[in-house]
Amino acid sequence: MSAHSLALLKASGISKRFGGVHALSDVGFTINHGEIYGLIGPNGAGKTSLFNVLTGIYASDGGEFVFDGLPLNGLKPNQVADRGIARTFQNIRLFANLSALENVMIGRHVRTRANVFGAIFRDAKTRAEEKAIEKRAYELLEYVGVHKRANSLAKHLAYGDQRRLEIARALATEPKLLALDEPAAGMNATETESLKLLLKDVRRDGTTILLIEHDMKLVMSVCDRVLVLDYGKKIAEGSAGDVQKDPRVIAAYLGGEVSLNLRGAA
Amino acid sequence: MHALLDLKQNPRTAWIGLALIGVALVVLPFALAAVGTAWVRITNLAILFVLLSLGLNIVVGFAGLLDLGYIAFYAVGAYTYALLASPHFNLHLPFWIVLPIGAAVACFFGALLGAPTLKLRGDYLAIVTLGFGEIVRIFMNNLSQPVNITNGPQGITLIDPFRIGSFSFAERETIAGLDFTGPVKYYYFLIVVLLAVIVINLRLQNSRIGRAWEAIREDEIAARAMGINTRNMKLLAFAMGASFGGVSGGIFAATQGFISPESFVLVESIMVLSMVVLGGMGNIWGVILGAVLLSFVPEVLRYTVAPAQQALFGRLLIEPEVIRMLLFGLALVLMMLFRPAGILPSALRKRELESRK
């Protein structure tokens, strides 16, 4: 395979400022097809900002993303989703008052075509499409294991199920890259373990994953490569094992000189 | 009501139920006419308000965009009809041409209101739409100079009734021994329009478009991240809602024969919004119920409150109009306390309760 076909997403020089705060400065990385790519860093390191720039929620102040051979710059979030990047949110953003099934059906929006006239006249094509949407949505619920609560409102699902439902909704958009923002946050050990299996299934079925996560055990066990951010800068990139041993990463997580000084002061 | 009328679950009771409702709707105007023709007119006005509420329900109930100037589209539809079918410009186009034009013009105004408000939500959107409603009304009031377009506060009179060939909706005639007055004819026309609008609403709700609106209502950022073009979908909601308002306005102009800016004041917008909220935002049957209640109860009061007071106290202590607003406020307060989602909350919540049993 050539280098071009290997890389799904290539980021270079990504910068984002909020006033005087450099949330991201000159971040560059490459995610290959079929990888599970981890994105870690202490709180406030810029991980979610990077997600928001990638998915078009924020406009970047510099740099560019090339996704699947084409640049992403200037696209709106819905156009980014259309190009094949689906995401979940750190603070779950389901459609709380809609059923689990409907949440996933909404995910099919971007891959279906029925317009107002189709909706009003319900021609054969629209009916067939509608049937296919429901079928696919139910399959995805089964895939993530929430199908037993298909008709429950999203807000009434257990926390772990909500996280899984969000993944199902994202998968419904048929993404090439699935971007997950702390999917294991708030999960217990059993739930995290089954999430791990789900992520491996998703990858096996052909979707590349970009994963923000604080649960190091999960990151170390599923990620092929990991990018470490600190204060908006890339401080390390490599295999999970290598990154773990990197002194800069250890300093970022356990505290470097600054916190040693503080300890001395106290 | 849903279970009883579900054609798939128990087709027999459903068909019988639908047939009974059908018969009741056909017989209703004659029963009302027996009491007084005024009641047929009141019913027609109530159906117009149901149409308006269903239109506003698309914007407020489905897409979650608070619109306090909805009556402006009713006004646009009414004035379009009045200008194209009255002696004012000496134009007398037939109603089947003017009503679609009215819908299209209102649709255009809907998009016009939608475009600059795309980034607004909640109270900010409410303020802008409120202003829009007032702007339209003030224009109607003042567009009599330098060129007389709307005839200002005097309004437009002698508006054409609906006419198909020699069959006029305004004339009284006897068919098969039954007395068809003008209001009775309009009643049947309105029922047909109403059924069409209900079907359109139900189908829109359970479609890809309806789900996209619900997604925007629930969480706009998540909706965009799922690939929904929120700009187009919001414009679509405004435009669809507005065109329903436009059609209703055209029918209103024809049934009344006279319109003036006074019919399109802010209170009317608030009234329609209250119908939507009281009945159950987002649930079509709830919205219909809310509109029927808020249209009829005041009329019933008008005919009962004054005689009741005369009988009890020998004189009129409180004007019917005052009692009407009192009860109206009380109803909304009680609703917010006991049934915040409306009299008939949207079906989703009901479904949720069933799945928990």
Side-chain angles (χ1 to χ4, degrees):
Chain A
M1 250 195 267
S2 71
H4 174 76
S5 68
L6 201 64
L8 176 63
L9 176 71
K10 196 169 173 347
S12 47
I14 300 297
S15 301
K16 177 72 196 172
R17 286 186 307 274
F18 295 107
V21 179
H22 291 260
L24 295 167
S25 27
D26 198 23
V27 177
F29 59 92
T30 305
I31 300 178
N32 297 321
H33 276 285
E35 258 187 321
I36 298 185
Y37 190 87
L39 177 56
I40 63 170
N43 287 325
K47 304 181 296 292
T48 299
S49 295
L50 183 64
F51 257 44
N52 286 339
V53 174
L54 170 66
T55 54
I57 291 177
Y58 296 158
S60 73
D61 295 321
E64 76 165 357
F65 286 106
V66 177
F67 179 70
D68 215 15
L70 292 168
L72 284 179
N73 291 39
L75 293 188
K76 298 210 168 65
N78 52 299
Q79 294 168 316
V80 174
D82 191 30
R83 287 281 306 280
I85 300 180
R87 67 170 294 179
T88 65
F89 294 86
Q90 188 177 353
N91 46 342
I92 304 175
R93 299 191 84 130
L94 286 165
F95 306 120
N97 293 307
L98 303 181
S99 72
L101 187 67
E102 275 168 313
N103 268 274
V104 186
M105 286 170 81
I106 288 167
R108 294 298 298 154
H109 181 93
V110 70
R111 301 287 169 236
T112 45
R113 293 276 78 91
N115 60 13
V116 175
F117 300 103
I120 293 173
F121 296 110
R122 283 223 180 138
D123 51 307
K125 208 173 123 200
T126 309
R127 286 200 306 269
E129 185 181 277
E130 194 70 3
K131 228 177 186 170
I133 292 173
E134 200 175 329
K135 182 163 167 277
R136 182 77 190 124
Y138 195 80
E139 284 167 4
L140 282 166
L141 283 180
E142 278 182 324
Y143 187 76
V144 301
V146 198
H147 54 290
K148 283 187 184 121
R149 303 291 310 269
N151 287 327
S152 303
L153 298 192
K155 64 178 174 190
H156 291 150
L157 294 184
Y159 187 77
D161 284 349
Q162 292 194 7
R163 289 257 179 229
R164 289 165 160 275
L165 177 57
E166 223 188 359
I167 294 174
R169 185 181 67 176
L171 285 174
T173 68
E174 291 172 22
K176 296 190 182 95
L177 177 69
L178 177 64
L180 303 173
D181 197 346
E182 294 194 31
M187 283 187 172
N188 63 31
T190 329
E191 286 171 328
T192 308
E193 191 55 33
S194 67
L195 176 71
K196 189 171 114 188
L197 297 177
L198 176 62
L199 295 184
K200 286 183 167 169
D201 281 349
V202 171
R203 187 246 297 266
R204 184 200 62 211
D205 296 335
T207 307
T208 307
I209 297 175
L210 168 59
L211 175 71
I212 294 182
E213 192 46 70
H214 274 306
D215 185 328
M216 283 308 136
K217 222 177 111 203
L218 179 67
V219 172
M220 295 308 156
S221 62
V222 298
C223 293
D224 302 304
R225 288 190 303 139
V226 178
L227 170 74
V228 190
L229 286 181
D230 191 27
Y231 292 110
K233 291 195 183 74
K234 169 176 163 179
I235 59 169
E237 187 188 14
S239 75
D242 289 347
V243 162
Q244 241 173 334
K245 292 186 206 105
D246 192 307
R248 278 168 305 175
V249 178
I250 297 169
Y253 269 92
L254 300 178
E257 276 173 42
V258 178
S259 48
L260 283 175
N261 283 344
L262 281 175
R263 207 177 291 164
Chain B
M1 186 167 158
H2 274 259
L4 279 178
L5 291 181
D6 194 326
L7 285 173
K8 276 174 199 141
Q9 275 180 17
N10 38 22
R12 261 193 52 189
T13 44
W15 280 117
I16 294 171
L18 286 177
L20 283 177
I21 292 176
V23 170
L25 286 178
V26 170
V27 176
L28 184 69
F30 295 103
L32 287 171
V35 184
T37 306
W39 283 100
V40 186
R41 283 182 211 279
I42 291 167
T43 309
N44 287 351
L45 214 52
I47 298 174
L48 276 173
F49 272 110
V50 174
L51 290 177
L52 280 178
S53 308
L54 287 173
L56 182 61
N57 185 45
I58 293 179
V59 185
V60 178
F62 293 175
L65 304 162
L66 185 50
D67 185 349
L68 280 182
Y70 186 67
I71 211 73
F73 306 122
Y74 191 52
V76 166
Y79 268 91
T80 305
Y81 187 92
L83 296 178
L84 295 178
S86 75
H88 184 62
F89 285 144
N90 217 7
L91 284 170
H92 296 280
L93 298 179
F95 77 91
W96 65 84
I97 293 178
V98 183
L99 280 189
I101 293 178
V105 175
C107 182
F108 169 75
F109 272 85
L112 199 67
L113 167 66
T117 58
L118 283 169
K119 293 200 165 145
L120 305 178
R121 281 191 80 80
D123 13 15
Y124 298 99
L125 180 61
I127 291 167
V128 175
T129 52
L130 188 150
F132 176 81
E134 285 301 281
I135 289 170
V136 167
R137 186 182 62 81
I138 291 167
F139 260 98
M140 304 296 179
N141 230 338
N142 293 287
L143 274 183
S144 50
Q145 299 165 340
V147 187
N148 186 0
I149 300 174
T150 62
N151 209 23
Q154 283 94 26
I156 296 173
T157 51
L158 297 173
I159 299 167
D160 295 350
F162 288 177
R163 220 178 264 125
I164 307 171
S166 62
F167 180 83
S168 166
F169 277 74
E171 280 158 29
R172 182 178 196 150
E173 53 190 310
T174 308
I175 305 167
L178 287 169
D179 185 21
F180 281 87
T181 57
V184 172
K185 289 179 184 170
Y186 277 115
Y187 169 85
Y188 286 116
F189 181 80
L190 279 164
I191 286 290
V192 172
V193 174
L194 176 63
L195 288 178
V197 168
I198 291 176
V199 169
I200 291 174
N201 261 270
L202 284 172
R203 290 191 161 186
L204 274 178
Q205 188 172 26
N206 301 311
S207 73
R208 173 173 174 268
I209 305 293
R211 281 192 301 271
W213 283 334
E214 284 177 325
I216 292 172
R217 184 191 68 204
E218 290 294 316
D219 188 330
E220 197 170 333
I221 289 177
R224 295 178 78 190
M226 289 303 114
I228 292 170
N229 187 330
T230 51
R231 183 196 61 202
N232 289 1
M233 285 296 149
K234 282 175 163 188
L235 282 179
L236 186 64
F238 271 117
M240 289 291 296
S243 32
F244 283 146
V247 171
S248 318
I251 304 174
F252 173 74
T255 52
Q256 303 290 310
F258 162 73
I259 56 164
S260 74
E262 226 169 88
S263 305
F264 310 108
V265 288
L266 175 63
V267 177
E268 298 289 323
S269 279
I270 292 173
M271 192 63 139
V272 178
L273 185 64
S274 307
M275 290 169 178
V276 174
V277 174
L278 180 78
M281 231 187 289
N283 178 17
I284 291 160
W285 307 114
V287 168
I288 293 173
L289 179 69
V292 169
L293 275 180
L294 286 191
S295 318
F296 271 111
V297 171
E299 297 301 330
V300 173
L301 284 177
R302 196 198 303 274
Y303 285 93
T304 53
V305 165
Q309 288 186 41
Q310 290 286 358
L312 280 174
F313 311 112
R315 63 199 171 94
L316 196 63
L317 290 172
I318 312 171
E319 291 285 324
E321 184 63 16
V322 176
I323 293 208
R324 186 174 83 108
M325 289 321 271
L326 261 176
L327 288 179
F328 188 59
L330 188 69
L332 281 178
V333 170
L334 288 178
M335 187 210 107
M336 284 303 161
L337 284 175
F338 298 109
R339 290 191 79 91
I343 301 174
L344 290 177
S346 84
L348 259 170
R349 266 156 226 159
K350 209 184 264 175
R351 206 195 305 161
E352 162 68 2
L353 286 175
E354 279 160 11
S355 74
R356 285 192 144 192
K357 270 176 202 164

